[in-house]
Structure formats: C-alpha cells, structure tokens
Amino acid sequence: MRQEVEIEFKNLLTAAEFDAVRSAFRLDDGAFRRQENHYFDTPSFALKEQAAALRIRVKEGRFTFTLKQTQADGSLLETHEPLAPSEAEALLAGAAPRGAIAVLLKEMDIDPRAVRCFGSLVTDRAEWPYEGGMLCLDHNRYLEHEDYELEYETDNAKAGEERFLRLLEALGIPRRLAPNKIARFYARKYEMGER
C-alpha cells in the first residue's frame, strides 16, 4: 500500500485546443500511452456521497487499485494497492475488495461486499515535466463519448494554480473547470439513462 496527497488542476479542452497543445509541446503519437480506468461504487453510490472514488487502473501491464478520498482542504488522499491480474479480474467480476482498501472502506461505513464495477474509461495520455510539476494531456473515451483535458499535477496548490492559469493564458485557452474523470463518466451514464 502507498498513500499520497494529490494536488492537480484540470481544464477541459476542445479537439482543436488538444491539437494546439500537442503542437506547442511537440507531442507526436509516440508520446501517448494508453491507460484504462475501471470505476467502482456501491449500488447506492456510497463512495460518491462521501466525495470518494474507487478505481482499478491498467497501465503498461500493471494493475493498481486506488481509493481517492477528498480531504477537508480539498486535496485528494490517494491510497494505492498493486494487484495481480487475477485479483483485478476477480474484482471486475464482482469479488469484494480485500486488504488495506477494504479496511478503509469499512472505516467509511461502506461494506466492501457491496462494491461493484460500473464501467470503464480509456485514456491516451502524454505526460511531461513542467515548471516543477507534471503536465498531462488526455484524450478520453467512454460510453460512446470522448473528451479532452489538460491536467497539471503539483505539490504546491497556490503556485501550481498560478502556473497553470499562466499556461492556459499563453496558449489562448479559456479556463473551464473540469469535473474529474469519474464524475464525467457518471454524468454521461446518467445522460444515457443508465443508473
């Protein structure tokens, strides 16, 4: 198990803005790596109600189970557990989480046996260092929909936000608040009439 506090700023992009960022940073197709997120919650959305999220991320052949919990200051505490492929398959098929994440779910008064996979989102992501942080350019596909976003991960909220806003201004991209991927996934699911 590994824990970290995540501070990030996001901005939704149009397809043209996505291409402009690619061009500005000279990102060719080889700069992008595919990752897949499988999202979990209970049928009553107990995680969502607590501003938390649970996912398995598949990236470069590795499986990571992550619980994100919103802290009082708005930052996210992420708890990561590596999974064997067979463990990931079992969770996707409906097995209850075990280990440290199951303990944390119980502390949140969530029965791990009630957790189910609600669907998946595929991202083609380019990442590169930028002014003391990490920029991520994402092309996301989920539920017959696609979107684009720019993320800036940093260890300082105030300085990071200033850097990110300066970058958007320099690129001529308007500030658009971006709900996180799982929120956009569930919003799309709701639009499609699925619960």
Side-chain angles (χ1 to χ4, degrees):
M1 177 185 85
R2 179 174 58 86
Q3 288 188 312
E4 64 183 343
V5 174
E6 179 181 74
I7 301 169
E8 66 182 10
F9 301 94
K10 301 170 176 278
N11 203 76
L12 286 174
L13 304 174
T14 65
E17 290 165 347
F18 175 86
D19 290 339
V21 174
R22 279 188 67 160
S23 178
F25 288 97
R26 295 181 176 88
L27 302 171
D28 62 14
D29 289 345
F32 289 82
R33 298 286 179 263
R34 181 154 288 181
Q35 61 189 35
E36 200 169 329
N37 291 334
H38 303 282
Y39 296 120
F40 294 78
D41 208 325
T42 67
S44 64
F45 295 101
L47 283 147
K48 181 181 174 187
E49 285 180 11
Q50 295 189 45
L54 186 62
R55 71 162 188 236
I56 292 175
R57 175 170 283 168
V58 184
K59 182 177 179 182
E60 296 175 352
R62 291 189 308 273
F63 298 79
T64 306
F65 202 24
T66 299
L67 174 64
K68 293 187 176 196
Q69 297 170 280
T70 303
Q71 304 299 289
D73 65 0
S75 65
L76 291 175
L77 176 63
E78 293 189 348
T79 302
H80 305 284
E81 282 187 305
L83 296 173
S86 60
E87 292 172 311
E89 287 174 22
L91 288 164
L92 291 168
R98 295 185 296 182
I101 287 180
V103 170
L104 291 171
L105 290 171
K106 289 175 187 173
E107 288 173 4
M108 298 168 67
D109 290 324
I110 296 173
D111 182 352
R113 295 171 299 179
V115 170
R116 298 288 176 266
C117 181
F118 277 81
S120 304
L121 179 147
V122 175
T123 299
D124 290 316
R125 168 175 277 189
E127 296 179 308
W128 66 100
Y130 180 79
E131 292 193 12
M134 185 70 68
L135 275 175
C136 305
L137 182 63
D138 292 345
H139 180 189
N140 306 299
R141 295 172 188 85
Y142 53 100
L143 301 172
E144 301 173 17
H145 181 74
E146 62 186 321
D147 65 30
Y148 307 88
E149 71 184 309
L150 184 64
E151 290 185 9
Y152 183 54
E153 298 174 0
T154 181
D155 60 3
N156 183 301
K158 186 175 183 333
E161 184 175 28
E162 290 170 2
R163 288 184 204 120
F164 189 60
L165 293 175
R166 259 195 327 269
L167 173 62
L168 291 176
E169 186 177 342
L171 293 169
I173 296 173
R175 180 72 169 119
R176 296 182 198 97
L177 295 178
N180 61 32
K181 287 178 180 69
I182 194 168
R184 298 196 317 265
F185 173 87
Y186 282 129
R188 177 68 180 163
K189 200 168 182 69
Y190 183 78
E191 284 172 15
M192 297 175 70
E194 297 181 35
R195 293 279 177 165

mmCIF file of all heavy atoms in Angstrom, residues 11-58:
data_model
loop_
_atom_site.group_PDB
_atom_site.id
_atom_site.type_symbol
_atom_site.label_atom_id
_atom_site.label_comp_id
_atom_site.label_asym_id
_atom_site.label_seq_id
_atom_site.Cartn_x
_atom_site.Cartn_y
_atom_site.Cartn_z
ATOM 1 N N ASN A 11 -8.378 21.223 -16.893
ATOM 2 C CA ASN A 11 -9.126 22.090 -17.794
ATOM 3 C C ASN A 11 -9.607 21.251 -18.968
ATOM 4 O O ASN A 11 -8.810 20.547 -19.601
ATOM 5 C CB ASN A 11 -8.229 23.219 -18.322
ATOM 6 C CG ASN A 11 -9.021 24.422 -18.771
ATOM 7 O OD1 ASN A 11 -9.503 25.186 -17.953
ATOM 8 N ND2 ASN A 11 -9.154 24.585 -20.079
ATOM 9 N N LEU A 12 -10.913 21.291 -19.234
ATOM 10 C CA LEU A 12 -11.425 20.609 -20.421
ATOM 11 C C LEU A 12 -10.981 21.373 -21.656
ATOM 12 O O LEU A 12 -10.862 22.604 -21.632
ATOM 13 C CB LEU A 12 -12.947 20.516 -20.372
ATOM 14 C CG LEU A 12 -13.512 19.498 -19.383
ATOM 15 C CD1 LEU A 12 -15.022 19.602 -19.325
ATOM 16 C CD2 LEU A 12 -13.087 18.092 -19.751
ATOM 17 N N LEU A 13 -10.726 20.645 -22.727
ATOM 18 C CA LEU A 13 -10.264 21.222 -23.985
ATOM 19 C C LEU A 13 -11.200 20.821 -25.116
ATOM 20 O O LEU A 13 -11.832 19.773 -25.071
ATOM 21 C CB LEU A 13 -8.861 20.696 -24.334
ATOM 22 C CG LEU A 13 -7.742 20.873 -23.317
ATOM 23 C CD1 LEU A 13 -6.494 20.147 -23.802
ATOM 24 C CD2 LEU A 13 -7.461 22.344 -23.079
ATOM 25 N N THR A 14 -11.241 21.651 -26.141
ATOM 26 C CA THR A 14 -11.872 21.245 -27.392
ATOM 27 C C THR A 14 -10.866 20.389 -28.157
ATOM 28 O O THR A 14 -9.668 20.365 -27.820
ATOM 29 C CB THR A 14 -12.244 22.465 -28.244
ATOM 30 O OG1 THR A 14 -11.033 23.124 -28.637
ATOM 31 C CG2 THR A 14 -13.158 23.431 -27.487
ATOM 32 N N ALA A 15 -11.322 19.712 -29.198
ATOM 33 C CA ALA A 15 -10.402 18.926 -30.025
ATOM 34 C C ALA A 15 -9.329 19.825 -30.642
ATOM 35 O O ALA A 15 -8.151 19.449 -30.702
ATOM 36 C CB ALA A 15 -11.178 18.179 -31.105
ATOM 37 N N ALA A 16 -9.708 21.021 -31.064
ATOM 38 C CA ALA A 16 -8.735 21.952 -31.665
ATOM 39 C C ALA A 16 -7.708 22.400 -30.625
ATOM 40 O O ALA A 16 -6.515 22.518 -30.931
ATOM 41 C CB ALA A 16 -9.457 23.154 -32.261
ATOM 42 N N GLU A 17 -8.148 22.646 -29.396
ATOM 43 C CA GLU A 17 -7.207 23.046 -28.337
ATOM 44 C C GLU A 17 -6.267 21.896 -27.981
ATOM 45 O O GLU A 17 -5.081 22.108 -27.716
ATOM 46 C CB GLU A 17 -7.978 23.514 -27.099
ATOM 47 C CG GLU A 17 -8.684 24.844 -27.308
ATOM 48 C CD GLU A 17 -9.729 25.148 -26.256
ATOM 49 O OE1 GLU A 17 -10.108 24.236 -25.471
ATOM 50 O OE2 GLU A 17 -10.188 26.302 -26.216
ATOM 51 N N PHE A 18 -6.799 20.675 -27.965
ATOM 52 C CA PHE A 18 -5.964 19.489 -27.739
ATOM 53 C C PHE A 18 -4.846 19.450 -28.775
ATOM 54 O O PHE A 18 -3.673 19.266 -28.436
ATOM 55 C CB PHE A 18 -6.842 18.238 -27.809
ATOM 56 C CG PHE A 18 -6.100 16.937 -27.714
ATOM 57 C CD1 PHE A 18 -5.805 16.381 -26.478
ATOM 58 C CD2 PHE A 18 -5.722 16.253 -28.858
ATOM 59 C CE1 PHE A 18 -5.127 15.166 -26.389
ATOM 60 C CE2 PHE A 18 -5.051 15.044 -28.787
ATOM 61 C CZ PHE A 18 -4.744 14.500 -27.546
ATOM 62 N N ASP A 19 -5.212 19.642 -30.045
ATOM 63 C CA ASP A 19 -4.207 19.646 -31.119
ATOM 64 C C ASP A 19 -3.213 20.785 -30.955
ATOM 65 O O ASP A 19 -2.015 20.626 -31.227
ATOM 66 C CB ASP A 19 -4.887 19.724 -32.489
ATOM 67 C CG ASP A 19 -5.628 18.444 -32.843
ATOM 68 O OD1 ASP A 19 -5.314 17.371 -32.259
ATOM 69 O OD2 ASP A 19 -6.534 18.502 -33.705
ATOM 70 N N ALA A 20 -3.685 21.948 -30.485
ATOM 71 C CA ALA A 20 -2.804 23.099 -30.285
ATOM 72 C C ALA A 20 -1.795 22.826 -29.168
ATOM 73 O O ALA A 20 -0.613 23.190 -29.297
ATOM 74 C CB ALA A 20 -3.627 24.347 -29.977
ATOM 75 N N VAL A 21 -2.224 22.173 -28.088
ATOM 76 C CA VAL A 21 -1.298 21.826 -27.005
ATOM 77 C C VAL A 21 -0.278 20.809 -27.507
ATOM 78 O O VAL A 21 0.922 20.931 -27.244
ATOM 79 C CB VAL A 21 -2.055 21.293 -25.765
ATOM 80 C CG1 VAL A 21 -1.074 20.789 -24.701
ATOM 81 C CG2 VAL A 21 -2.961 22.367 -25.182
ATOM 82 N N ARG A 22 -0.741 19.820 -28.271
ATOM 83 C CA ARG A 22 0.185 18.833 -28.863
ATOM 84 C C ARG A 22 1.248 19.525 -29.684
ATOM 85 O O ARG A 22 2.437 19.211 -29.584
ATOM 86 C CB ARG A 22 -0.575 17.861 -29.773
ATOM 87 C CG ARG A 22 -1.271 16.754 -29.079
ATOM 88 C CD ARG A 22 -1.814 15.744 -30.066
ATOM 89 N NE ARG A 22 -0.708 15.055 -30.735
ATOM 90 C CZ ARG A 22 -0.806 13.891 -31.352
ATOM 91 N NH1 ARG A 22 -1.969 13.276 -31.399
ATOM 92 N NH2 ARG A 22 0.227 13.334 -31.919
ATOM 93 N N SER A 23 0.805 20.470 -30.483
ATOM 94 C CA SER A 23 1.731 21.193 -31.355
ATOM 95 C C SER A 23 2.696 22.058 -30.547
ATOM 96 O O SER A 23 3.904 22.074 -30.807
ATOM 97 C CB SER A 23 0.932 22.053 -32.341
ATOM 98 O OG SER A 23 1.790 22.791 -33.155
ATOM 99 N N ALA A 24 2.171 22.780 -29.550
ATOM 100 C CA ALA A 24 3.005 23.675 -28.745
ATOM 101 C C ALA A 24 4.115 22.923 -28.015
ATOM 102 O O ALA A 24 5.224 23.443 -27.862
ATOM 103 C CB ALA A 24 2.141 24.434 -27.740
ATOM 104 N N PHE A 25 3.838 21.701 -27.594
ATOM 105 C CA PHE A 25 4.826 20.921 -26.851
ATOM 106 C C PHE A 25 5.458 19.814 -27.713
ATOM 107 O O PHE A 25 6.157 18.951 -27.178
ATOM 108 C CB PHE A 25 4.198 20.337 -25.585
ATOM 109 C CG PHE A 25 3.942 21.380 -24.528
ATOM 110 C CD1 PHE A 25 2.695 21.958 -24.398
ATOM 111 C CD2 PHE A 25 4.964 21.804 -23.689
ATOM 112 C CE1 PHE A 25 2.452 22.925 -23.438
ATOM 113 C CE2 PHE A 25 4.735 22.770 -22.723
ATOM 114 C CZ PHE A 25 3.478 23.341 -22.599
ATOM 115 N N ARG A 26 5.189 19.850 -29.016
ATOM 116 C CA ARG A 26 5.773 18.906 -29.982
ATOM 117 C C ARG A 26 5.571 17.442 -29.557
ATOM 118 O O ARG A 26 6.521 16.662 -29.453
ATOM 119 C CB ARG A 26 7.259 19.203 -30.176
ATOM 120 C CG ARG A 26 7.518 20.552 -30.797
ATOM 121 C CD ARG A 26 9.015 20.787 -30.992
ATOM 122 N NE ARG A 26 9.268 22.035 -31.673
ATOM 123 C CZ ARG A 26 9.399 23.217 -31.056
ATOM 124 N NH1 ARG A 26 9.280 23.284 -29.744
ATOM 125 N NH2 ARG A 26 9.650 24.306 -31.756
ATOM 126 N N LEU A 27 4.322 17.093 -29.309
ATOM 127 C CA LEU A 27 3.976 15.740 -28.882
ATOM 128 C C LEU A 27 3.489 14.933 -30.083
ATOM 129 O O LEU A 27 2.438 15.228 -30.635
ATOM 130 C CB LEU A 27 2.864 15.791 -27.812
ATOM 131 C CG LEU A 27 3.162 16.600 -26.556
ATOM 132 C CD1 LEU A 27 1.910 16.750 -25.702
ATOM 133 C CD2 LEU A 27 4.281 15.954 -25.757
ATOM 134 N N ASP A 28 4.258 13.935 -30.463
ATOM 135 C CA ASP A 28 3.813 13.076 -31.562
ATOM 136 C C ASP A 28 3.029 11.901 -30.979
ATOM 137 O O ASP A 28 2.871 11.775 -29.760
ATOM 138 C CB ASP A 28 4.991 12.617 -32.421
ATOM 139 C CG ASP A 28 6.000 11.769 -31.656
ATOM 140 O OD1 ASP A 28 5.686 11.304 -30.527
ATOM 141 O OD2 ASP A 28 7.108 11.573 -32.173
ATOM 142 N N ASP A 29 2.529 11.023 -31.838
ATOM 143 C CA ASP A 29 1.719 9.899 -31.372
ATOM 144 C C ASP A 29 2.473 9.028 -30.373
ATOM 145 O O ASP A 29 1.872 8.451 -29.469
ATOM 146 C CB ASP A 29 1.251 9.048 -32.550
ATOM 147 C CG ASP A 29 0.186 9.750 -33.384
ATOM 148 O OD1 ASP A 29 -0.388 10.759 -32.905
ATOM 149 O OD2 ASP A 29 -0.069 9.306 -34.523
ATOM 150 N N GLY A 30 3.799 8.946 -30.525
ATOM 151 C CA GLY A 30 4.608 8.116 -29.628
ATOM 152 C C GLY A 30 4.681 8.640 -28.204
ATOM 153 O O GLY A 30 5.084 7.920 -27.291
ATOM 154 N N ALA A 31 4.278 9.892 -27.982
ATOM 155 C CA ALA A 31 4.306 10.473 -26.631
ATOM 156 C C ALA A 31 3.141 9.981 -25.773
ATOM 157 O O ALA A 31 3.165 10.151 -24.552
ATOM 158 C CB ALA A 31 4.262 11.999 -26.726
ATOM 159 N N PHE A 32 2.145 9.382 -26.402
ATOM 160 C CA PHE A 32 0.926 8.985 -25.683
ATOM 161 C C PHE A 32 0.971 7.510 -25.296
ATOM 162 O O PHE A 32 1.400 6.667 -26.075
ATOM 163 C CB PHE A 32 -0.310 9.261 -26.543
ATOM 164 C CG PHE A 32 -0.596 10.727 -26.688
ATOM 165 C CD1 PHE A 32 0.080 11.487 -27.632
ATOM 166 C CD2 PHE A 32 -1.513 11.356 -25.863
ATOM 167 C CE1 PHE A 32 -0.151 12.850 -27.766
ATOM 168 C CE2 PHE A 32 -1.755 12.716 -25.984
ATOM 169 C CZ PHE A 32 -1.073 13.462 -26.938
ATOM 170 N N ARG A 33 0.529 7.242 -24.072
ATOM 171 C CA ARG A 33 0.418 5.882 -23.559
ATOM 172 C C ARG A 33 -1.033 5.652 -23.165
ATOM 173 O O ARG A 33 -1.689 6.525 -22.613
ATOM 174 C CB ARG A 33 1.297 5.675 -22.326
ATOM 175 C CG ARG A 33 2.778 5.868 -22.580
ATOM 176 C CD ARG A 33 3.365 4.692 -23.355
ATOM 177 N NE ARG A 33 4.773 4.876 -23.628
ATOM 178 C CZ ARG A 33 5.267 5.347 -24.773
ATOM 179 N NH1 ARG A 33 4.457 5.719 -25.746
ATOM 180 N NH2 ARG A 33 6.559 5.459 -24.959
ATOM 181 N N ARG A 34 -1.507 4.446 -23.418
ATOM 182 C CA ARG A 34 -2.903 4.117 -23.109
ATOM 183 C C ARG A 34 -3.016 3.604 -21.683
ATOM 184 O O ARG A 34 -2.180 2.841 -21.209
ATOM 185 C CB ARG A 34 -3.419 3.062 -24.081
ATOM 186 C CG ARG A 34 -4.874 2.703 -23.816
ATOM 187 C CD ARG A 34 -5.563 2.188 -25.029
ATOM 188 N NE ARG A 34 -5.779 3.290 -25.950
ATOM 189 C CZ ARG A 34 -6.383 3.166 -27.124
ATOM 190 N NH1 ARG A 34 -6.847 2.003 -27.519
ATOM 191 N NH2 ARG A 34 -6.536 4.206 -27.911
ATOM 192 N N GLN A 35 -4.059 4.065 -21.001
ATOM 193 C CA GLN A 35 -4.404 3.529 -19.686
ATOM 194 C C GLN A 35 -5.915 3.347 -19.635
ATOM 195 O O GLN A 35 -6.661 4.027 -20.329
ATOM 196 C CB GLN A 35 -3.914 4.442 -18.557
ATOM 197 C CG GLN A 35 -4.490 5.826 -18.583
ATOM 198 C CD GLN A 35 -3.816 6.753 -17.581
ATOM 199 O OE1 GLN A 35 -2.614 6.660 -17.334
ATOM 200 N NE2 GLN A 35 -4.580 7.636 -16.983
ATOM 201 N N GLU A 36 -6.324 2.402 -18.818
ATOM 202 C CA GLU A 36 -7.747 2.093 -18.706
ATOM 203 C C GLU A 36 -8.145 2.185 -17.239
ATOM 204 O O GLU A 36 -7.462 1.646 -16.367
ATOM 205 C CB GLU A 36 -7.975 0.668 -19.234
ATOM 206 C CG GLU A 36 -9.375 0.373 -19.619
ATOM 207 C CD GLU A 36 -9.464 -0.955 -20.365
ATOM 208 O OE1 GLU A 36 -8.509 -1.336 -21.055
ATOM 209 O OE2 GLU A 36 -10.520 -1.594 -20.228
ATOM 210 N N ASN A 37 -9.225 2.896 -16.963
ATOM 211 C CA ASN A 37 -9.754 3.017 -15.609
ATOM 212 C C ASN A 37 -11.075 2.275 -15.529
ATOM 213 O O ASN A 37 -11.963 2.490 -16.349
ATOM 214 C CB ASN A 37 -10.002 4.487 -15.240
ATOM 215 C CG ASN A 37 -8.722 5.274 -15.079
ATOM 216 O OD1 ASN A 37 -7.673 4.727 -14.764
ATOM 217 N ND2 ASN A 37 -8.796 6.568 -15.304
ATOM 218 N N HIS A 38 -11.201 1.432 -14.521
ATOM 219 C CA HIS A 38 -12.448 0.723 -14.239
ATOM 220 C C HIS A 38 -12.983 1.286 -12.922
ATOM 221 O O HIS A 38 -12.304 1.205 -11.894
ATOM 222 C CB HIS A 38 -12.212 -0.786 -14.114
ATOM 223 C CG HIS A 38 -11.567 -1.383 -15.328
ATOM 224 N ND1 HIS A 38 -12.268 -1.663 -16.469
ATOM 225 C CD2 HIS A 38 -10.278 -1.720 -15.571
ATOM 226 C CE1 HIS A 38 -11.445 -2.182 -17.378
ATOM 227 N NE2 HIS A 38 -10.235 -2.217 -16.856
ATOM 228 N N TYR A 39 -14.189 1.840 -12.950
ATOM 229 C CA TYR A 39 -14.735 2.563 -11.805
ATOM 230 C C TYR A 39 -15.696 1.706 -10.984
ATOM 231 O O TYR A 39 -16.514 0.971 -11.537
ATOM 232 C CB TYR A 39 -15.452 3.821 -12.282
ATOM 233 C CG TYR A 39 -14.513 4.805 -12.929
ATOM 234 C CD1 TYR A 39 -14.685 5.197 -14.242
ATOM 235 C CD2 TYR A 39 -13.434 5.327 -12.224
ATOM 236 C CE1 TYR A 39 -13.823 6.101 -14.844
ATOM 237 C CE2 TYR A 39 -12.558 6.223 -12.809
ATOM 238 C CZ TYR A 39 -12.759 6.611 -14.112
ATOM 239 O OH TYR A 39 -11.893 7.495 -14.699
ATOM 240 N N PHE A 40 -15.601 1.880 -9.656
ATOM 241 C CA PHE A 40 -16.386 1.095 -8.716
ATOM 242 C C PHE A 40 -17.164 2.010 -7.774
ATOM 243 O O PHE A 40 -16.722 3.099 -7.438
ATOM 244 C CB PHE A 40 -15.467 0.212 -7.848
ATOM 245 C CG PHE A 40 -14.745 -0.865 -8.602
ATOM 246 C CD1 PHE A 40 -13.630 -0.568 -9.365
ATOM 247 C CD2 PHE A 40 -15.175 -2.174 -8.547
ATOM 248 C CE1 PHE A 40 -12.946 -1.550 -10.067
ATOM 249 C CE2 PHE A 40 -14.497 -3.177 -9.238
ATOM 250 C CZ PHE A 40 -13.380 -2.859 -10.003
ATOM 251 N N ASP A 41 -18.305 1.540 -7.338
ATOM 252 C CA ASP A 41 -19.082 2.172 -6.273
ATOM 253 C C ASP A 41 -20.077 1.130 -5.793
ATOM 254 O O ASP A 41 -20.102 0.005 -6.307
ATOM 255 C CB ASP A 41 -19.800 3.441 -6.768
ATOM 256 C CG ASP A 41 -20.022 4.465 -5.646
ATOM 257 O OD1 ASP A 41 -20.270 4.041 -4.490
ATOM 258 O OD2 ASP A 41 -19.971 5.668 -5.917
ATOM 259 N N THR A 42 -20.906 1.495 -4.840
ATOM 260 C CA THR A 42 -21.990 0.617 -4.409
ATOM 261 C C THR A 42 -23.232 0.987 -5.217
ATOM 262 O O THR A 42 -23.289 2.079 -5.809
ATOM 263 C CB THR A 42 -22.285 0.801 -2.910
ATOM 264 O OG1 THR A 42 -22.826 2.107 -2.713
ATOM 265 C CG2 THR A 42 -21.036 0.603 -2.064
ATOM 266 N N PRO A 43 -24.246 0.138 -5.259
ATOM 267 C CA PRO A 43 -25.473 0.491 -5.985
ATOM 268 C C PRO A 43 -26.113 1.790 -5.496
ATOM 269 O O PRO A 43 -26.776 2.491 -6.260
ATOM 270 C CB PRO A 43 -26.382 -0.717 -5.748
ATOM 271 C CG PRO A 43 -25.428 -1.856 -5.574
ATOM 272 C CD PRO A 43 -24.261 -1.262 -4.813
ATOM 273 N N SER A 44 -25.889 2.153 -4.229
ATOM 274 C CA SER A 44 -26.450 3.405 -3.699
ATOM 275 C C SER A 44 -25.462 4.571 -3.799
ATOM 276 O O SER A 44 -25.719 5.648 -3.259
ATOM 277 C CB SER A 44 -26.869 3.210 -2.236
ATOM 278 O OG SER A 44 -25.720 2.921 -1.445
ATOM 279 N N PHE A 45 -24.334 4.355 -4.474
ATOM 280 C CA PHE A 45 -23.298 5.371 -4.670
ATOM 281 C C PHE A 45 -22.760 5.918 -3.343
ATOM 282 O O PHE A 45 -22.591 7.119 -3.157
ATOM 283 C CB PHE A 45 -23.800 6.511 -5.572
ATOM 284 C CG PHE A 45 -24.100 6.052 -6.966
ATOM 285 C CD1 PHE A 45 -25.411 5.816 -7.356
ATOM 286 C CD2 PHE A 45 -23.090 5.818 -7.868
ATOM 287 C CE1 PHE A 45 -25.697 5.362 -8.631
ATOM 288 C CE2 PHE A 45 -23.354 5.362 -9.146
ATOM 289 C CZ PHE A 45 -24.658 5.140 -9.540
ATOM 290 N N ALA A 46 -22.454 5.006 -2.429
ATOM 291 C CA ALA A 46 -21.943 5.389 -1.113
ATOM 292 C C ALA A 46 -20.592 6.105 -1.202
ATOM 293 O O ALA A 46 -20.322 7.008 -0.417
ATOM 294 C CB ALA A 46 -21.832 4.157 -0.220
ATOM 295 N N LEU A 47 -19.746 5.710 -2.144
ATOM 296 C CA LEU A 47 -18.456 6.394 -2.313
ATOM 297 C C LEU A 47 -18.668 7.817 -2.826
ATOM 298 O O LEU A 47 -18.111 8.768 -2.283
ATOM 299 C CB LEU A 47 -17.553 5.606 -3.270
ATOM 300 C CG LEU A 47 -16.894 4.378 -2.654
ATOM 301 C CD1 LEU A 47 -16.729 3.289 -3.663
ATOM 302 C CD2 LEU A 47 -15.565 4.764 -2.035
ATOM 303 N N LYS A 48 -19.483 7.943 -3.858
ATOM 304 C CA LYS A 48 -19.762 9.259 -4.434
ATOM 305 C C LYS A 48 -20.320 10.205 -3.375
ATOM 306 O O LYS A 48 -19.946 11.377 -3.325
ATOM 307 C CB LYS A 48 -20.737 9.105 -5.598
ATOM 308 C CG LYS A 48 -21.093 10.382 -6.298
ATOM 309 C CD LYS A 48 -22.090 10.110 -7.419
ATOM 310 C CE LYS A 48 -22.576 11.393 -8.042
ATOM 311 N NZ LYS A 48 -23.648 11.166 -9.003
ATOM 312 N N GLU A 49 -21.211 9.695 -2.516
ATOM 313 C CA GLU A 49 -21.814 10.523 -1.465
ATOM 314 C C GLU A 49 -20.774 11.076 -0.495
ATOM 315 O O GLU A 49 -20.984 12.118 0.108
ATOM 316 C CB GLU A 49 -22.861 9.718 -0.692
ATOM 317 C CG GLU A 49 -24.146 9.514 -1.452
ATOM 318 C CD GLU A 49 -25.158 8.707 -0.661
ATOM 319 O OE1 GLU A 49 -24.953 8.471 0.554
ATOM 320 O OE2 GLU A 49 -26.162 8.296 -1.267
ATOM 321 N N GLN A 50 -19.644 10.366 -0.368
ATOM 322 C CA GLN A 50 -18.580 10.817 0.530
ATOM 323 C C GLN A 50 -17.444 11.504 -0.235
ATOM 324 O O GLN A 50 -16.335 11.647 0.287
ATOM 325 C CB GLN A 50 -18.040 9.635 1.343
ATOM 326 C CG GLN A 50 -19.084 9.055 2.278
ATOM 327 C CD GLN A 50 -18.490 8.032 3.220
ATOM 328 O OE1 GLN A 50 -17.431 8.249 3.799
ATOM 329 N NE2 GLN A 50 -19.181 6.911 3.389
ATOM 330 N N ALA A 51 -17.715 11.925 -1.479
ATOM 331 C CA ALA A 51 -16.710 12.579 -2.331
ATOM 332 C C ALA A 51 -15.455 11.721 -2.451
ATOM 333 O O ALA A 51 -14.327 12.208 -2.406
ATOM 334 C CB ALA A 51 -16.379 13.977 -1.812
ATOM 335 N N ALA A 52 -15.689 10.428 -2.617
ATOM 336 C CA ALA A 52 -14.600 9.464 -2.777
ATOM 337 C C ALA A 52 -14.782 8.737 -4.106
ATOM 338 O O ALA A 52 -15.857 8.764 -4.707
ATOM 339 C CB ALA A 52 -14.593 8.473 -1.621
ATOM 340 N N ALA A 53 -13.723 8.105 -4.558
ATOM 341 C CA ALA A 53 -13.770 7.350 -5.813
ATOM 342 C C ALA A 53 -12.877 6.124 -5.675
ATOM 343 O O ALA A 53 -11.868 6.149 -4.958
ATOM 344 C CB ALA A 53 -13.312 8.218 -6.978
ATOM 345 N N LEU A 54 -13.246 5.072 -6.385
ATOM 346 C CA LEU A 54 -12.504 3.818 -6.349
ATOM 347 C C LEU A 54 -12.338 3.325 -7.780
ATOM 348 O O LEU A 54 -13.310 3.289 -8.542
ATOM 349 C CB LEU A 54 -13.287 2.795 -5.508
ATOM 350 C CG LEU A 54 -12.629 1.452 -5.227
ATOM 351 C CD1 LEU A 54 -11.343 1.616 -4.438
ATOM 352 C CD2 LEU A 54 -13.602 0.558 -4.457
ATOM 353 N N ARG A 55 -11.104 2.951 -8.118
ATOM 354 C CA ARG A 55 -10.863 2.501 -9.486
ATOM 355 C C ARG A 55 -9.734 1.481 -9.516
ATOM 356 O O ARG A 55 -8.895 1.424 -8.615
ATOM 357 C CB ARG A 55 -10.491 3.669 -10.386
ATOM 358 C CG ARG A 55 -9.106 4.204 -10.076
ATOM 359 C CD ARG A 55 -8.507 5.053 -11.172
ATOM 360 N NE ARG A 55 -7.130 5.325 -10.833
ATOM 361 C CZ ARG A 55 -6.595 6.525 -10.718
ATOM 362 N NH1 ARG A 55 -7.318 7.601 -10.956
ATOM 363 N NH2 ARG A 55 -5.323 6.667 -10.394
ATOM 364 N N ILE A 56 -9.733 0.704 -10.602
ATOM 365 C CA ILE A 56 -8.562 -0.078 -10.991
ATOM 366 C C ILE A 56 -8.022 0.597 -12.240
ATOM 367 O O ILE A 56 -8.775 0.822 -13.203
ATOM 368 C CB ILE A 56 -8.913 -1.546 -11.316
ATOM 369 C CG1 ILE A 56 -9.348 -2.295 -10.062
ATOM 370 C CG2 ILE A 56 -7.701 -2.246 -11.945
ATOM 371 C CD1 ILE A 56 -9.828 -3.718 -10.333
ATOM 372 N N ARG A 57 -6.741 0.932 -12.223
ATOM 373 C CA ARG A 57 -6.096 1.484 -13.419
ATOM 374 C C ARG A 57 -5.172 0.422 -13.996
ATOM 375 O O ARG A 57 -4.375 -0.174 -13.276
ATOM 376 C CB ARG A 57 -5.298 2.745 -13.102
ATOM 377 C CG ARG A 57 -4.519 3.255 -14.325
ATOM 378 C CD ARG A 57 -3.927 4.614 -14.111
ATOM 379 N NE ARG A 57 -4.998 5.601 -14.242
ATOM 380 C CZ ARG A 57 -4.869 6.881 -13.895
ATOM 381 N NH1 ARG A 57 -3.736 7.315 -13.382
ATOM 382 N NH2 ARG A 57 -5.869 7.718 -14.060
ATOM 383 N N VAL A 58 -5.311 0.206 -15.301
ATOM 384 C CA VAL A 58 -4.438 -0.703 -16.031
ATOM 385 C C VAL A 58 -3.532 0.169 -16.889
ATOM 386 O O VAL A 58 -4.010 0.916 -17.757
ATOM 387 C CB VAL A 58 -5.238 -1.675 -16.916
ATOM 388 C CG1 VAL A 58 -4.303 -2.663 -17.581
ATOM 389 C CG2 VAL A 58 -6.325 -2.383 -16.120
#
